[in-house]
Amino acid sequence: MADAISLQSSRSRDLDKLLLRPGHLVGPSFEPGTELRDDLQQYVRILVVGAGGLGCELLKDLALSGFRNLEVIDMDRIEVSNLNRQFLFRLEDVGKPKAEVAAKRVMERVSGVNIVPHFCRIEDKELEFYSEFSIIVLGLDSIEARKYDSDDNPQEHTMKPMVDGGTEGFKGHARVILPGITPCFECTIWLFPPQVKFPLCTLAETPRTAAHCIEYAHLIKWDEVHSGKSFDPDNPEHMQWVYLEAAKRAELFGIPGVTYSLTQGVVKNIIPAIASTNAIISAACALETLKIASGCSKTLSNYLTYNGVEGLHTKVTEFVKDKDCLVCGPGILIELDTSVTLKMFIDLVEDHPKLLISGASVTHRGKNLYMQAPPVLEEMTRSNLSLPLFELMDKFPKGIVHVTGMAGKGDKRQSCLRKLRVAFKGVDGIMDTDMAGGAIQGAFGRRTGWNTDE
């Protein structure tokens, strides 16, 4: 018994320096004492999204920081290529779910911690699942994956503080997102390297590179052949289908270089990772999580960058919210009858005094409701024009749609993207959709999978 008490005392020694005494940089609600440490262990629940390279580090660091109630969600299985940097996994674990193995290994090493694994997609969980956590920590490996964690229509009870970490080679970042206070992810999307996006008309009509052929199979051919079936980048059969279709198109246009590995890289937009960078960024994220939960110090304001390419450089920058943000910004409210068709909605948008968009294309939760171009997508979505928008939005009383098109007058016309808050009259559940936040951003609302292979 004495040995156990001594071990626990040594483990919490550094933590006690933060939690058991006052300081000059503490939060306004900070009350030092053993009760605070006990409350962190008993009541605070943390969800870690991703059990890849960064996720493994996060689970370990959070467990060693005094948090006892952790959960982790990841849809991937362990691959041999993961073993060089995802230190919780062994060769005998190949093929097993990452979340389950990572939880088991941390619980074996850190006594007293309880980690519940979830081997599934985030969209497999109901909104109420996410509202049960105090803080959500992201350990994802791609920009697109983070976008899936941004809900355009957050609910008040699901908006939670979020700590986001990301790495790319010897560079990384840690950031704190507080609903309604700090910028959401989309507000500062420009901080990340520009993602390669190809015009759909190029993909459909004049491909010139192997990547064009792959994206054609991924973005156009898949929907054309598998109408209504979502593409899953983590399904080997789906990826193999895209590869074979891309190879056929490349052969047709005499374009070399289409391989299965390149297909994976283009479709998933995989970012390289280095173990030491993961460890540094994870430590920063775990510290910020502890600050938010305990108030033992002021939180990061609000974006930390790390660069270890040449020497060591860190910098903290305070960014501000983008008032026109397509995620946490208010958007433009439009009230409609449930009988309004998509065609009527597009006409309304094109005549709206605050929009005046021509050639409008409409998307809802990542789904193309109507696309003006290229011709193959216009033909595929044309039948939606006669359907009520209420039905196309799955009969929800309110929701967010995004409209793209051309705005402006004369030679000053330019392409634009607008966020619209659509509310249907006379439907139960209508309430003000202009909610602050977008941080956790709600419920990880988009119905899509993600890859967490750091």
Side-chain angles (χ1 to χ4, degrees):
M1 174 65 90
D3 291 341
I5 295 175
S6 175
L7 179 60
Q8 179 62 33
S9 176
S10 65
R11 283 182 173 176
S12 63
R13 179 188 60 193
D14 294 330
L15 184 62
D16 288 346
K17 292 179 180 179
L18 293 173
L19 302 183
L20 302 187
R21 60 189 185 186
H24 296 295
L25 299 177
V26 299
S29 61
F30 178 66
E31 296 182 3
T34 56
E35 297 84 358
L36 176 59
R37 184 183 64 197
D38 295 341
D39 287 347
L40 287 180
Q41 296 178 357
Q42 184 173 358
Y43 298 114
V44 177
R45 296 184 61 190
I46 307 295
L47 175 65
V48 176
V49 181
L54 188 54
C56 287
E57 293 282 354
L58 285 168
L59 284 173
K60 177 259 295 180
D61 288 345
L62 291 169
L64 292 174
S65 297
F67 296 106
R68 291 292 178 260
N69 299 303
L70 302 174
E71 300 193 24
V72 57
I73 184 169
D74 194 302
M75 61 175 287
D76 283 344
R77 294 182 181 272
I78 299 166
E79 300 178 5
V80 173
S81 61
N82 301 147
L83 302 181
N84 68 330
R85 61 198 180 281
Q86 298 176 18
F87 68 96
L88 295 177
F89 307 142
R90 304 290 180 266
L91 185 60
E92 61 267 23
D93 299 324
V94 171
K96 298 177 182 178
K98 287 185 177 181
E100 295 177 4
V101 176
K104 177 176 177 287
R105 288 279 153 71
V106 174
M107 287 191 289
E108 289 174 348
R109 298 185 181 194
V110 183
S111 61
V113 66
N114 181 53
I115 304 177
V116 179
H118 300 275
F119 175 50
C120 63
R121 304 169 181 272
I122 49 179
E123 66 268 25
D124 292 339
K125 299 293 185 180
E126 298 295 332
L127 302 187
E128 290 73 15
F129 170 78
Y130 299 101
S131 67
E132 296 174 353
F133 297 96
S134 308
I135 304 168
I136 299 182
V137 186
L138 299 185
L140 298 166
D141 73 340
S142 73
I143 294 176
E144 290 303 316
R146 288 180 177 83
K147 286 188 174 183
Y148 300 147
D149 294 328
S150 299
D151 189 5
D152 298 320
N153 190 23
Q155 305 299 313
E156 187 173 6
H157 68 285
T158 58
M159 292 193 299
K160 305 288 182 178
M162 181 170 72
V163 179
D164 171 49
T167 66
E168 182 176 4
F170 288 102
K171 300 178 182 180
H173 78 266
R175 67 185 304 174
V176 173
I177 299 180
L178 303 175
I181 300 174
T182 64
C184 74
F185 176 77
E186 192 71 23
C187 283
T188 52
I189 192 68
W190 52 270
L191 287 169
F192 294 89
Q195 302 301 288
V196 178
K197 299 292 184 183
F198 305 112
L200 290 177
C201 56
T202 298
L203 303 182
E205 299 168 7
T206 55
R208 296 184 296 276
T209 67
H212 287 168
C213 298
I214 293 168
E215 286 290 60
Y216 169 82
H218 170 216
L219 298 176
I220 298 177
K221 193 67 176 180
W222 176 272
D223 287 338
E224 184 179 319
V225 175
H226 305 87
S227 179
K229 182 179 180 180
S230 298
F231 174 78
D232 180 1
D234 294 290
N235 186 319
E237 294 181 0
H238 290 195
M239 190 64 70
Q240 180 71 13
W241 187 92
V242 168
Y243 161 62
L244 294 175
E245 287 297 320
K248 292 177 184 177
R249 189 163 180 80
E251 183 179 0
L252 179 64
F253 284 88
I255 298 173
V258 174
T259 64
Y260 184 78
S261 59
L262 178 63
T263 301
Q264 287 182 305
V266 170
V267 172
K268 291 187 176 184
N269 188 28
I270 296 174
I271 296 174
I274 294 176
S276 58
T277 310
N278 285 337
I280 292 169
I281 295 303
S282 173
C285 290
L287 179 58
E288 293 308 314
T289 304
L290 180 63
K291 290 179 184 179
I292 295 172
S294 68
C296 66
S297 181
K298 294 181 180 179
T299 58
L300 183 72
S301 296
N302 44 47
Y303 192 93
L304 168 76
T305 54
Y306 162 81
N307 190 335
V309 175
E310 295 182 3
L312 174 64
H313 176 75
T314 60
K315 180 181 180 181
V316 175
T317 305
E318 183 172 5
F319 291 105
V320 298
K321 294 182 63 177
D322 180 359
K323 62 182 179 62
D324 297 321
C325 177
L326 294 172
V327 172
C328 68
I332 296 175
L333 175 63
I334 296 181
E335 294 183 329
L336 301 172
D337 292 323
T338 56
S339 60
V340 171
T341 65
L342 179 58
K343 177 63 168 63
M344 295 167 63
F345 173 72
I346 291 175
D347 292 341
L348 185 153
V349 166
E350 294 183 345
D351 293 335
H352 196 288
K354 292 185 178 180
L355 298 173
L356 297 177
I357 295 178
S358 61
S361 297
V362 183
T363 61
H364 171 61
R365 290 189 176 276
K367 178 183 177 182
N368 295 328
L369 300 186
Y370 180 69
M371 300 297 292
Q372 294 277 357
V376 62
L377 286 184
E378 194 282 331
E379 182 179 355
M380 290 170 57
T381 57
R382 188 184 305 159
S383 60
N384 288 339
L385 290 173
S386 60
L387 299 177
L389 182 61
F390 182 60
E391 293 184 7
L392 294 172
M393 293 176 62
D394 299 322
K395 296 185 178 180
F396 285 109
K398 58 185 174 61
I400 301 295
V401 300
H402 287 106
V403 176
T404 57
M406 300 297 293
K409 297 180 178 180
D411 58 356
K412 294 184 178 181
R413 293 175 60 77
Q414 59 183 1
S415 61
C416 67
L417 172 63
R418 295 289 183 265
K419 172 183 176 181
L420 306 181
R421 296 181 294 126
V422 176
F424 294 99
K425 302 175 184 177
V427 180
D428 291 341
I430 283 292
M431 61 178 65
D432 181 17
T433 57
D434 184 8
M435 298 184 65
I440 188 54
Q441 298 179 1
F444 303 163
R446 288 189 175 87
R447 298 286 173 180
T448 333
W450 81 86
N451 175 51
T452 56
D453 182 18
E454 284 279 5

